[in-house]
Amino acid sequence: MAAARTAMRMMLGTMGTATRVRGVSAAASSSSSSSSSSSSSPSPSLSDRIRATDAPVIVATKKLIAEGGGDAVLSLAQGVVHWTPPRAATEAAARALSDNPAVHAYGACEGLPELRGAIKRKLLEENGLANVDVMVTTGANQAFMNVVLSVADSSDRIVLFVPYYFNHLMALQMTEGGPRVTLGACDAATMLPDLDWLERELAGGAASKPPKAVVIVTPNNPTGVIVPKEMLERAAALCESANAWLVVDNTYENFTYADTEVKPTFLASRNVINIFSFSKCYGMMGWRMGYLSYDAANAELAQSLLKVQDTIPICPTQISQHVALGALEAGAPWIADRVKLLETNRSRAVAALAPLGQDNAIKSEGAIYLWAKLPEGMTDDERVVERLVKEFQVCIIPGSSCGAPGYVRVAFANLTEEKCAEACERLHRGLTAMVKEI
């Protein structure tokens, strides 16, 4: 965390050097001393909120890759998939562009009615969620920001479990909620959230009021762990008793594997807000499409979400919503066929982490990630990542970016089988060499 904040300060320092545009005028051209004085004056200060926000780790890793060899470096860092959207999705976009002038105008703030209807049918049929309303968003990250701004004030506490998804913490930091984030522990062996701790935290006390919201990501980013049904239901019940929100990020709902023992669970309740994404399952990362699901009877929440939505994007991107409609036509079977192709990548990534020791690799049930603890003697995760890039031409994510120094995250869906095999071989070779140095 400290290293990330230092990097952010350095980044902000660089960004703060503004390029000033001088007008072409007689006064400006006749006074070089005045121009010199103006260009050397300090820039206005930046937001304390942004200064306190962690640096984006994906930006940092891309910079590291560029410095360490550019295209020669194979990345197991960013959590994306290597496939592109279904043909039905791209054909829907082409038809909309050629036949539907409305795609160039503002649309409904909460999303196209036909897309919202299709999402509701999907939620009922595939997730078992009834009596819910939905809002289409510009990706799952914007969905999370809509929720944060709608349900909590800067004085409220919000729980994130460590290791957390780094953009969730950043969203809270830049909305003045950072100092009030309460970090909950996960079991060191299973990486499942400690609900006994959560129960005590939600009980509150004289020293502090209970948290206003609890965030759970399942299947998890960065660990790949899936929260079992009974645990998720208990978390929801604990939050309801404390009059708190449970925010569940289901971005990786479709990513389970042949050896997955725990299947994703989905809850609909008055205090549960669900986040979903089109990005990973349909290969639609650049189209920026996500959505929220919440209790249909909660009109106040719906209006609050609309305020945020209208202020930030005004409406979800029209053409992207047509792509999403086409993607839903392809549906879950199309996704399942592609997730099956990740089995080989996943197995190779597991083998690549073997040099760290069997006890150090966390059992990943789903998502597109593996999570592992670095052995004693090489726990500087940022240094390990740097060496892997510069010496072995492969990149992964340091656990410190997720609040867990001494761990690393490996993403195995962003490369084809052939390239993933090479990346995993490099990772295995690099980790083996570093372990031998201990």
Side-chain angles (χ1 to χ4, degrees):
M1 291 283 289
R5 290 193 178 97
T6 299
M8 186 59 172
R9 285 195 291 270
M10 293 175 64
M11 185 181 296
L12 287 172
T14 302
M15 292 171 63
T17 306
T19 301
R20 297 181 180 276
V21 180
R22 293 190 293 271
V24 181
S25 65
S29 61
S30 65
S31 179
S32 59
S33 60
S34 174
S35 296
S36 174
S37 173
S38 174
S39 63
S40 63
S41 61
S43 300
S45 64
L46 300 176
S47 159
D48 288 339
R49 298 188 310 278
I50 290 297
R51 288 184 182 277
T53 299
D54 286 359
V57 66
I58 298 302
V59 174
T61 56
K62 286 182 177 179
K63 180 180 179 183
L64 181 61
I65 288 171
E67 294 172 348
D71 291 341
V73 178
L74 294 176
S75 177
L76 297 169
Q78 191 167 16
V80 296
V81 298
H82 62 75
W83 56 78
T84 56
R87 177 176 295 181
T90 54
E91 288 177 348
R95 287 195 303 272
L97 281 173
S98 62
D99 303 336
N100 188 357
V103 298
H104 305 292
Y106 290 133
C109 186
E110 62 269 49
L112 290 175
E114 54 267 46
L115 177 57
R116 293 175 65 234
I119 290 172
K120 288 180 183 180
R121 288 191 295 274
K122 175 263 181 187
L123 289 172
L124 180 61
E125 295 168 5
E126 298 180 16
N127 306 104
L129 300 179
N131 302 315
V132 296
D133 205 348
V134 299
M135 167 178 277
V136 182
T137 59
T138 311
N141 276 2
Q142 196 233 313
F144 184 76
M145 185 66 84
N146 281 11
V147 172
V148 168
L149 293 172
S150 295
V151 307
D153 294 308
S154 58
S155 60
D156 290 321
R157 291 196 295 146
I158 294 182
V159 170
L160 299 181
F161 286 97
V162 179
Y164 47 73
Y165 171 43
F166 40 80
N167 281 139
H168 284 171
L169 178 64
M170 292 171 67
L172 295 171
Q173 289 171 327
M174 69 178 60
T175 54
E176 292 190 336
R180 303 289 292 167
V181 171
T182 300
L183 298 179
C186 286
D187 182 272
T190 65
M191 284 295 150
L192 291 170
D194 184 345
L195 296 190
D196 291 336
W197 170 88
L198 180 62
E199 183 172 12
R200 294 191 297 272
E201 202 68 23
L202 287 169
S208 61
K209 64 180 181 179
K212 186 69 175 292
V214 176
V215 180
I216 290 179
V217 183
T218 179
N220 187 262
N221 178 5
T223 66
V225 168
I226 297 175
V227 178
K229 181 175 186 288
E230 62 274 12
M231 287 191 69
L232 197 62
E233 289 176 340
R234 182 186 174 196
L238 290 172
C239 288
E240 186 171 20
S241 296
N243 201 30
W245 296 97
L246 176 63
V247 181
V248 185
D249 189 332
N250 306 280
T251 291
Y252 300 95
E253 59 171 318
N254 300 99
F255 291 86
T256 58
Y257 302 95
D259 64 350
T260 297
E261 298 176 357
V262 179
K263 300 298 183 181
T265 298
F266 309 94
L267 301 179
S269 179
R270 71 171 188 86
N271 68 312
V272 175
I273 302 174
N274 284 293
I275 295 173
F276 294 89
S277 176
F278 285 92
S279 294
K280 311 304 167 66
C281 55
Y282 287 112
M284 286 175 53
M285 292 76 64
W287 291 99
R288 309 310 306 131
M289 278 280 99
Y291 55 99
L292 289 165
S293 166
Y294 52 91
D295 181 13
N298 197 331
E300 185 179 15
L301 175 60
Q303 287 302 311
S304 298
L305 292 168
L306 278 173
K307 288 180 183 179
V308 182
Q309 182 98 324
D310 186 69
T311 302
I312 300 177
I314 298 179
C315 67
T317 306
Q318 292 271 58
I319 190 65
S320 295
Q321 293 185 82
H322 287 276
V323 176
L325 267 170
L328 288 175
E329 288 179 19
W334 185 93
I335 301 169
D337 287 343
R338 278 140 191 86
V339 173
K340 286 178 185 176
L341 300 177
L342 295 178
E343 294 280 3
T344 301
N345 283 12
R346 183 168 175 260
S347 297
R348 285 173 174 156
V350 169
L353 292 172
L356 300 180
Q358 184 176 358
D359 292 340
N360 285 338
I362 303 301
K363 176 67 167 67
S364 169
E365 293 277 355
I368 53 177
Y369 307 109
L370 300 177
W371 183 251
K373 183 179 181 181
L374 296 171
E376 291 297 326
M378 57 177 288
T379 56
D380 186 344
D381 55 311
E382 293 181 346
R383 176 59 179 155
V384 167
V385 169
E386 182 180 10
R387 287 192 60 188
L388 285 171
V389 170
K390 294 183 177 180
E391 298 176 31
F392 301 95
Q393 305 280 271
V394 64
C395 187
I396 58 178
I397 290 290
S400 55
S401 65
C402 305
Y407 288 81
V408 291
R409 189 194 80 174
V410 175
F412 54 80
N414 53 356
L415 297 176
T416 60
E417 281 192 20
E418 182 180 358
K419 287 193 173 183
C420 187
E422 173 62 23
C424 289
E425 190 280 327
R426 295 180 189 183
L427 178 59
H428 186 276
R429 182 157 39 90
L431 293 177
T432 298
M434 282 186 261
V435 168
K436 286 181 179 179
E437 296 173 1
I438 298 176

